[in-house]
């Protein structure tokens, strides 16, 4: 089931009533910060409020678990664009407690894919092509260690200048309490 018609109906009213005006800003983050955090729905409003940010203050990049899997993937590219094109001077990598990525079991997820119609042939073809699905889909056991790993990957990236501060934090999605990890 899609909510598209409901969304479009609301959007038409939103635009016609000029409700967007309160959000007008530029593409450049006012606080010169880019945040990589998890896509967890609990953080959607909580994280900016817990950090005292409003619309336009920061760039927010989201990925499952706030994990950077590859130094030359889309997440790292987004962080570099924020630094070099959008004037961000600090990077915050923020994981959270009770993260769904901490519970990911690759074999179980692959079985869910099969149950929904992905064929064994497709999975085998990817594995034979060098894509280790069990590694690619693997979550993490310790959110602190996961944040440290991502911070280390960013800090040591060959295309990031050392002047850019990189911080690692963990947020409690129940209270909004932030803890510095790195």
């Amino acid at each position: 089931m899609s909510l598209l018609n409901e969304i479009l109906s609301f959007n038409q009213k939103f635009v016609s009533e000029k409700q967007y005006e309160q959000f007008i800003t530029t593409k450049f983050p006012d606080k010169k910060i880019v945040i990589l955090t998890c896509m967890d729905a609990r953080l959607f409003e909580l994280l900016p409020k817990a950090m005292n940010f409003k619309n336009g203050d920061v760039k927010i990049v989201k990925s499952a678990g706030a994990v950077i899997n590859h130094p030359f993937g889309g997440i790292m590219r987004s962080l570099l664009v924020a630094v070099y094109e959008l004037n961000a001077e600090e990077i915050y990598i923020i994981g959270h407690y009770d993260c769904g990525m901490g519970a990911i079991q690759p074999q179980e997820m692959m079985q869910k894919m099969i149950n929904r119609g992905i064929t064994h042939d497709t999975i085998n073809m990817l594995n034979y092509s060098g894509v280790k699905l069990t590694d690619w889909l693997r979550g993490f056991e310790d959110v602190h260690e996961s944040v440290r790993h991502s911070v280390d990957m960013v800090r040591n990236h060959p295309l990031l200048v050392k002047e850019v501060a990189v911080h690692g934090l963990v947020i409690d999605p129940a209270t909004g309490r932030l803890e510095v990890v790195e």
Side-chain angles (χ1 to χ4, degrees):
M1 287 194 248
S2 175
L3 295 174
L4 181 59
N5 289 334
E6 184 179 327
I7 290 168
L8 292 175
S9 176
F10 175 86
N11 180 258
Q12 185 177 32
K13 181 180 177 199
F14 179 87
V15 172
S16 69
E17 294 177 359
K18 298 185 179 187
Q19 293 179 40
Y20 58 84
E21 289 179 346
Q22 64 183 317
F23 303 106
I24 293 174
T25 186
T26 71
K27 64 182 175 182
F28 300 98
D30 294 336
K31 304 280 185 180
K32 298 188 181 299
I33 291 172
V34 59
I35 295 171
L36 168 60
T37 193
C38 185
M39 63 184 194
D40 191 298
R42 295 172 292 179
L43 303 181
F44 184 75
E45 290 186 64
L46 176 67
L47 180 65
K49 289 195 184 337
M51 296 181 79
N52 194 30
F53 293 140
K54 65 181 181 0
N55 193 57
D57 281 349
V58 300
K59 291 293 183 187
I60 299 179
V61 177
K62 294 191 173 204
S63 73
V67 172
I68 302 173
N69 282 338
H70 192 284
F72 294 98
I75 299 299
M76 193 63 216
R77 180 181 57 224
S78 295
L79 297 177
L80 293 170
V81 166
V83 168
Y84 292 112
E85 296 295 326
L86 302 171
N87 304 325
E89 296 174 354
E90 291 185 71
I91 298 172
Y92 289 73
I93 297 171
I94 306 174
H96 68 94
Y97 294 109
D98 190 32
C99 184
M101 282 301 289
I104 295 289
Q105 299 298 322
Q107 293 295 347
E108 291 176 17
M109 187 170 175
M110 288 166 48
Q111 185 58 52
K112 290 175 184 177
M113 291 175 185
I114 291 165
N115 293 346
R116 292 191 58 184
I118 303 300
T119 67
H120 285 283
D121 288 343
T122 298
I123 289 173
N124 290 337
M125 186 256 318
L126 290 169
N127 281 322
Y128 292 132
S129 298
V131 179
K132 300 262 185 197
L133 286 176
T134 54
D135 293 342
W136 187 62
L137 295 172
R138 179 167 278 105
F140 54 80
E141 293 181 20
D142 180 342
V143 68
H144 295 93
E145 188 54 40
S146 178
V147 167
R148 280 187 201 96
H149 177 267
S150 291
V151 166
D152 185 58
M153 190 176 291
V154 173
R155 277 189 184 150
N156 294 300
H157 197 279
L159 297 176
L160 187 69
V161 292
K162 301 300 178 205
E163 295 82 38
V164 175
V166 183
H167 310 282
L169 296 93
V170 173
I171 188 169
D172 184 333
T175 66
R177 181 181 61 85
L178 289 165
E179 173 186 338
V180 176
V181 173
E182 188 73 27

